[in-house]
Amino acid sequence: AQTVTQSQPEMSVQEAETVTLSCTYDTSESDYYLFWYKQPPSRQMILVIRQEAYKQQNATENRFSVNFQKAAKSFSLKISDSQLGDAAMYFCAISGTYKYIFGTGTRLKVLA
Amino acid sequence: KAGVTQTPRYLIKTRGQQVTLSCSPISGHRSVSWYQQTPGQGLQFLFEYFSETQRNKGNFPGRFSGRQFSNSRSEMNVSTLELGDSALYLCASSPLVSGSGGYTFGSGTRLTVV
């Protein structure tokens, strides 16, 4: 069975600073995808970044980047130059057979 | 380009009633998945449909059912509602089966069972 663990229920970061959210996972699949989703108070889950497991290069999307350590089954998200609009719940997810498995989420607070 | 549209946004039902939730995916997306989100259990997979066929079903009782129409729109139905069914129900669509390219989610339907 696939599992996703987010060990930080809540994190805080000063505006303009950098923060890293942790995620570890377990899977027996050789081919899978990893995702970070953001859920603001509007409730809509927004895809932040996507990583293909067979690619060694870490994915980046503007201020968001990941540190993908396949052997360690770790997939952390780094947010640089944090902005007030980054405040939200962040969920790590892995693609399974016709479904995603989500972690329990990390609430990110951005302090002005 | 319109996003994933879920209706209604909010719903209040009484225990024992049934409810139908609707999801219109992004145009051209043939995969639609449903998730239940609660504070205690987090995000749990309900089912995925691709081209009108249910590809996978989560570990939910038979009271939860769904279907997908030829235009890719999807509905989920919950019969004999229980208090524990109160949750945010999220629909997501993808052009590919299993959402390997990443799902696009709707804003959800907040169901409250009283």
Side-chain angles (χ1 to χ4, degrees), chain B residues 55-112:
Chain B
R55 298 287 173 157
N56 197 7
K57 189 178 192 303
N59 188 25
F60 279 82
R63 301 184 296 105
F64 291 80
S65 63
R67 59 179 175 169
Q68 186 180 34
F69 303 96
S70 58
N71 61 358
S72 293
R73 191 178 70 85
S74 178
E75 289 180 348
M76 67 163 281
N77 183 277
V78 187
S79 62
T80 319
L81 284 165
E82 301 178 359
L83 295 178
D85 297 333
S86 295
L88 179 65
Y89 290 88
L90 292 165
C91 169
S93 76
S94 168
L96 304 172
V97 69
S98 302
S100 58
Y103 281 120
T104 301
F105 282 82
S107 296
T109 294
R110 171 78 67 188
L111 172 64
T112 302

Side-chain angles (χ1 to χ4, degrees), chain B:
Chain B
K1 186 173 178 181
V4 178
T5 303
Q6 290 188 247
T7 56
R9 289 262 300 174
Y10 300 90
L11 206 48
I12 300 175
K13 289 287 189 179
T14 304
R15 242 182 333 175
Q17 287 186 313
Q18 75 164 16
V19 66
T20 299
L21 311 182
S22 179
C23 172
S24 293
I26 289 174
S27 178
H29 285 194
R30 294 161 64 191
S31 170
V32 174
S33 292
W34 290 87
Y35 288 82
Q36 181 196 64
Q37 186 177 22
T38 60
Q41 299 297 319
L43 283 147
Q44 292 190 288
F45 171 75
L46 280 157
F47 20 67
E48 179 185 21
Y49 289 88
F50 187 81
S51 295
E52 300 179 68
T53 301
Q54 187 180 90
R55 298 287 173 157
N56 197 7
K57 189 178 192 303
N59 188 25
F60 279 82
R63 301 184 296 105
F64 291 80
S65 63
R67 59 179 175 169
Q68 186 180 34
F69 303 96
S70 58
N71 61 358
S72 293
R73 191 178 70 85
S74 178
E75 289 180 348
M76 67 163 281
N77 183 277
V78 187
S79 62
T80 319
L81 284 165
E82 301 178 359
L83 295 178
D85 297 333
S86 295
L88 179 65
Y89 290 88
L90 292 165
C91 169
S93 76
S94 168
L96 304 172
V97 69
S98 302
S100 58
Y103 281 120
T104 301
F105 282 82
S107 296
T109 294
R110 171 78 67 188
L111 172 64
T112 302
V113 182
V114 297

Side-chain angles (χ1 to χ4, degrees), chain A residues 5-8 20-24 36 75-77 92 106:
Chain A
T5 302
Q6 293 179 251
S7 59
Q8 306 153 316
T20 299
L21 308 185
S22 301
C23 173
T24 58
W36 277 98
F75 182 62
S76 60
L77 174 70
C92 177
T106 297

Side-chain angles (χ1 to χ4, degrees), chain A residues 36-48:
Chain A
W36 277 98
Y37 277 88
K38 167 186 176 181
Q39 188 178 39
S42 65
R43 309 181 330 199
Q44 185 173 14
M45 299 277 282
I46 300 165
L47 178 63
V48 174

